[in-house]
Amino acid sequence: MALNAKQTQQQRLMLAPNVTLALEVLRMPLMELQAFLESQCEENPLLELDEELAEEQRDEPLEETSKDAREHPEDEEWPAGQRTLSETEDPENDDVAEDDRRLERQTAAPISLRESLLMQWGCQPGSPEDRSLGELLIHQLDEIGYLEGSLEEAAVHAGVELAHAEWVLKLIQRLDPPGVGARDLRECLMAQLEQAGEEQTLAYRIVASHFPLFVQQRVPQLAKATGSSAAEVTQACERLKRLNPKPGRAFAGNLPPAIVPDLLIKRGERHDDVELNDQELPQIRISRSYYRMLRDPNTAADVKEFLATKFRQAGWLIRAVGDRQATLLAIGRCLISLQRDFLEHGPKALKPLTQAQVASLVGRHPSTVSRAIAGKTIDTPCGVFRLEQLFATNLPQNGHAEQVSDAQIKSAIQQLIDEEDPRRPLSDAQLVRHLTQRQLSVARRTIAKYRAQLSILPAHLRKRRL
């Protein structure tokens, strides 16, 4: 088959670079936008941060200072930021202050699960081969302390038998926190009980031999299988529930970062308003020095071409940030004006609201609203919420003209389950009947879906024997 080269003409719809940039900036949450603007200021010489200008103005030496420097040139031999002894305090106090600063740095730095385990493992006796295999297994633990990799592959990689690798893993499981290094939840609970010296207890027998029945909360079957009373089985199950299923989460280094909201609620005497949380957002502007170089007729042609390209890109970015802020503020104010009851009573007071309705009110396309609220949060009197959570689906009610949102249904389900008898939890069908008595018409499959979204177990798993 011969290869032929030919030319064809095609029409394609492509977005201009400034439009692509505007859509990308609109999508970014606050912290991501902050990092993006800082990186753009480093790459584009036509962009500069206003805060940097303010610092430069504060750090600029006065005329008298410059004159002093010319009269005493020997002062220039000192490195920047270094002071002479006459300008400092007592050197003994400096030593104490340095110790305090060192201690502050040590206490402020969080330690990760892997670092803690490696330090403990380094204090354990053993051969170099065992130490190497243990370090390999520790590096294969996930953030909650479970072994992600295959023990068989680790044994092959270390050149040892699988039984020896099992023995090394058992040593790791004796480290702190208890239960770390397990391959599943069952092994994690067993390791914690072994470390507590409870191998001969009923709780350990249940986990070791009847774990599926424990997960399903089958107390009568567990009592029959273990030859114990229902009260003893219930007490053993309560002991197991007090164990930590995710031992690695106890470390500060694994905590998620704090959420920085994009919008803030400003409470007023007569009405509430929405503000942009732009205090941490860099304020960018066109660099005057490079702009003068661009307008200078004596500037070389290739330099002018480069500066002109960067000038266009800087203008696109500044306009994109302005459009993002205006769009986000308009959407936030629209949401709060329509969901005013939410500020007083929480999510249960959310009214049915769609993105298309908000788009029509703020004069934007629904896709623009969808992109603008993605990943954005708002700080309200009820806590920090994603903007997506302020939208609610309308559930039609048989014979009722009043609109009911899915958030109201979820709140009613949560209230019913909180008030149920733990010995006789409500099934999905019973929840349907209770909601019908409240003039809320919901199908059973919808109840099951909302219950799963609320992380609520089925009735047979919520059952408790008191």
Side-chain angles (χ1 to χ4, degrees):
M1 180 178 178
L3 297 178
N4 298 324
K6 61 179 181 180
Q7 292 181 342
T8 59
Q9 284 187 339
Q10 293 181 345
Q11 288 185 346
R12 294 183 179 180
L13 183 61
M14 300 182 63
L15 294 177
N18 58 330
V19 178
T20 304
L21 177 63
L23 295 177
E24 186 66 18
V25 168
L26 181 63
R27 179 200 58 82
M28 293 181 182
L30 180 60
M31 300 307 295
E32 183 180 349
L33 179 60
Q34 175 186 358
F36 179 73
L37 293 180
E38 291 175 353
S39 66
Q40 288 298 306
C41 288
E42 294 176 358
E43 298 175 4
N44 193 337
L46 265 295
L47 283 173
E48 60 186 8
L49 302 178
D50 278 351
E51 59 182 6
E52 289 184 354
L53 292 179
E55 291 177 0
E56 289 177 3
Q57 292 174 357
R58 288 195 300 267
D59 296 338
E60 280 182 359
L62 299 177
E63 185 177 354
E64 292 80 1
T65 307
S66 301
K67 184 178 179 181
D68 254 357
R70 288 192 298 269
E71 293 176 355
H72 302 281
E74 65 276 4
D75 292 342
E76 296 178 359
E77 298 177 1
W78 290 92
Q82 184 171 345
R83 297 178 295 175
T84 61
L85 182 60
S86 60
E87 295 173 329
T88 61
E89 300 176 355
D90 188 358
E92 296 181 358
N93 293 336
D94 282 351
D95 294 338
V96 175
E98 178 61 27
D99 292 340
D100 292 341
R101 287 191 291 269
R102 188 181 300 110
L103 179 61
E104 181 180 356
R105 289 194 296 269
Q106 291 175 353
T107 56
I111 184 171
S112 66
L113 173 64
R114 183 175 291 111
E115 292 171 342
S116 174
L117 293 175
L118 289 175
M119 287 190 295
Q120 298 177 60
W121 185 248
C123 300
Q124 301 293 323
S127 64
E129 292 78 10
D130 292 343
R131 289 183 180 275
S132 177
L133 176 57
E135 293 175 358
L136 175 63
L137 294 177
I138 290 175
H139 280 90
Q140 292 183 0
L141 300 182
D142 59 14
E143 61 177 7
I144 61 176
Y146 285 78
L147 183 64
E148 284 186 319
S150 171
L151 188 61
E152 291 79 5
E153 294 180 1
V156 173
H157 183 271
V160 299
E161 297 292 335
L162 180 59
H164 188 77
E166 292 272 3
W167 177 75
V168 173
L169 182 61
K170 282 290 184 182
L171 295 179
I172 294 177
Q173 292 176 357
R174 296 177 185 175
L175 302 178
D176 188 69
V180 72
R183 286 163 285 187
D184 51 35
L185 177 59
R186 174 177 171 271
E187 190 175 18
C188 177
L189 300 181
M190 290 177 60
Q192 295 181 54
L193 292 174
E194 291 172 358
Q195 196 162 345
E198 302 180 19
E199 296 93 336
Q200 305 300 324
T201 61
L202 177 59
Y204 189 86
R205 289 166 51 200
I206 290 176
V207 175
S209 305
H210 312 287
F211 187 69
L213 294 177
F214 164 71
V215 173
Q216 299 174 6
Q217 292 292 293
R218 303 294 186 181
V219 175
Q221 290 85 338
L222 282 173
K224 182 178 180 180
T226 58
S228 306
S229 64
E232 292 173 339
V233 171
T234 301
Q235 184 178 2
C237 291
E238 292 299 326
R239 170 68 180 113
L240 293 175
K241 293 174 186 176
R242 290 195 296 269
L243 300 177
N244 187 2
K246 300 177 180 179
R249 288 286 176 88
F251 282 76
N254 292 329
L255 294 178
I259 297 177
V260 180
D262 297 84
L263 297 174
L264 305 173
I265 298 293
K266 183 178 180 182
R267 305 305 300 265
E269 296 181 358
R270 296 185 177 180
H271 64 278
D272 302 322
D273 196 9
V274 179
E275 293 181 346
L276 291 167
N277 185 18
D278 55 0
Q279 295 182 355
E280 300 296 329
L281 193 64
Q283 302 298 318
I284 58 176
R285 57 179 289 179
I286 299 294
S287 173
R288 293 189 178 91
S289 59
Y290 281 102
Y291 183 72
R292 287 194 295 266
M293 185 183 299
L294 175 62
R295 307 299 295 178
D296 188 355
N298 298 323
T299 304
D302 55 343
V303 175
K304 268 196 172 185
E305 182 180 358
F306 171 78
L307 293 178
T309 301
K310 294 299 181 180
F311 178 74
R312 286 194 301 270
Q313 295 175 355
W316 294 343
L317 181 59
I318 292 175
R319 284 191 295 271
V321 173
D323 293 342
R324 173 200 183 269
Q325 301 295 76
T327 301
L328 191 59
L329 185 60
I331 293 175
R333 287 175 173 171
C334 180
L335 286 174
I336 295 305
S337 64
L338 297 175
Q339 302 285 16
R340 195 168 299 277
D341 294 339
F342 163 78
L343 301 179
E344 301 295 336
H345 307 290
K348 64 181 180 181
L350 284 174
K351 300 177 182 178
L353 184 64
T354 64
Q355 296 181 11
Q357 293 173 323
V358 173
S360 176
L361 292 173
V362 300
R364 304 300 200 278
H365 194 272
S367 62
T368 302
V369 173
S370 176
R371 185 175 285 104
I373 66 175
K376 314 299 191 305
T377 55
I378 182 170
D379 190 5
T380 72
C382 303
V384 178
F385 290 85
R386 302 191 312 273
L387 289 182
E388 294 98 324
Q389 294 179 278
L390 300 185
F391 294 88
T393 305
N394 179 30
L395 296 180
Q397 300 296 301
N398 298 330
H400 299 280
E402 182 181 359
Q403 292 184 334
V404 177
S405 67
D406 58 346
Q408 294 172 321
I409 301 295
K410 292 178 182 179
S411 178
I413 294 174
Q414 185 69 63
Q415 182 182 3
L416 288 172
I417 292 179
D418 291 341
E419 298 174 353
E420 70 181 1
D421 186 355
R423 294 170 297 184
R424 289 182 289 273
L426 299 174
S427 64
D428 292 344
Q430 292 173 324
L431 289 173
V432 171
R433 289 195 294 268
H434 280 79
L435 291 178
T436 303
Q437 295 175 2
R438 299 187 179 190
Q439 306 299 318
L440 298 175
S441 177
V442 188
R444 188 186 62 81
R445 62 179 179 274
T446 305
I447 294 290
K449 181 180 71 173
Y450 289 167
R451 178 175 50 74
Q453 293 176 358
L454 294 171
S455 300
I456 298 175
L457 296 174
H460 71 278
L461 295 180
R462 301 198 309 271
K463 190 173 183 179
R464 299 288 186 271
R465 291 183 179 270
L466 304 179

